[in-house]
């Protein structure tokens, strides 16, 4: 939607210089409607959880050692790994500790004392992206925006829609 707005702002003045015909007039009307609708679409995304999450992620981006990927995922390497990197087609075994940005723990294999095993491609987008960059033996802290986590639906009782999540993940092995 943001690209439409930017493109629309450049196309509208150009179209005013074009020869007036029915096709141009229809296109100009669509451009104007796109610009008029945009603020409503932008307002939908101003959910308080999104605003708080974006503020948190912006602060994390300024911390030493935090890497920000083009997707918006942020991570900090706590312990570098020395093994292989899993592919999306692999299954991994890992320990994790998941919290909300307010520190509320929503799940932890560490607390249960039982590692987690799952196919990389079946995890939330933030995990899938990060795991393919991690080496076995590595431990990272992930800062996952809502759109790479559980999105607008949330998960369980603790993870509400639009939640930004924090995970500490230790990649134990790629399961054969």
């Amino acid at each position: 939607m943001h690209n439409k707005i930017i493109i629309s702002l450049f196309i509208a003045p150009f179209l005013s210089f074009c020869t007036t015909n029915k096709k141009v007039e229809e296109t100009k009307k669509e451009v104007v409607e796109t610009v008029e609708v945009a603020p409503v679409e932008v307002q939908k995304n101003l959910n308080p959880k999104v605003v708080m999450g974006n503020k948190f992620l912006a602060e994390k981006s300024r911390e030493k050692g935090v890497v920000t990927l083009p997707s918006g995922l942020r991570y900090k390497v706590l312990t570098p790994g020395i093994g292989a990197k899993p592919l999306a087609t692999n299954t991994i075994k890992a320990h994790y500790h998941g919290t909300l940005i307010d520190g509320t723990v929503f799940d932890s294999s560490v607390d249960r004392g039982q590692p987690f095993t799952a196919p990389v491609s079946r995890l939330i987008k933030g995990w899938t992206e990060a795991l393919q960059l991690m080496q076995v033996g590595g431990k990272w802290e992930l800062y996952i925006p809502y759109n790479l986590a559980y999105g607008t639906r949330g998960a369980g009782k603790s993870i509400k829609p639009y939640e930004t999540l924090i995970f500490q993940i230790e990649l134990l092995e790629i399961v054969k």
Side-chain angles (χ1 to χ4, degrees), residues 52-166:
M52 289 180 356
N54 287 343
K55 182 179 176 186
F56 171 83
L57 293 168
E59 290 169 4
K60 279 294 170 191
S61 294
R62 291 189 287 274
E63 286 185 15
K64 184 178 179 183
V66 173
V67 176
T68 301
L69 299 176
S71 67
L73 176 68
R74 286 143 176 91
Y75 70 88
K76 184 175 188 175
V77 176
L78 305 176
T79 306
I82 56 171
K85 294 179 182 179
L87 303 172
T89 55
N90 291 135
T91 296
I92 54 93
K93 183 183 282 188
H95 260 307
Y96 68 91
H97 184 77
T99 65
L100 305 177
I101 61 175
D102 68 4
T104 301
V105 177
F106 58 82
D107 196 11
S108 177
S109 71
V110 175
D111 291 349
R112 285 191 305 276
Q114 183 67 37
F116 170 77
T117 302
V120 173
S121 63
R122 299 228 177 185
L123 300 168
I124 60 173
K125 291 176 185 178
W127 270 59
T128 298
E129 183 176 6
L131 284 168
Q132 293 177 82
L133 301 172
M134 291 180 74
Q135 291 178 284
V136 172
K139 185 175 182 178
W140 289 14
E141 188 162 74
L142 307 181
Y143 312 103
I144 306 178
Y146 81 94
N147 62 311
L148 299 177
Y150 294 98
T152 59
R153 68 184 189 280
K157 294 179 183 177
S158 299
I159 303 173
K160 304 295 183 214
Y162 301 101
E163 290 280 7
T164 296
L165 305 178
I166 304 168

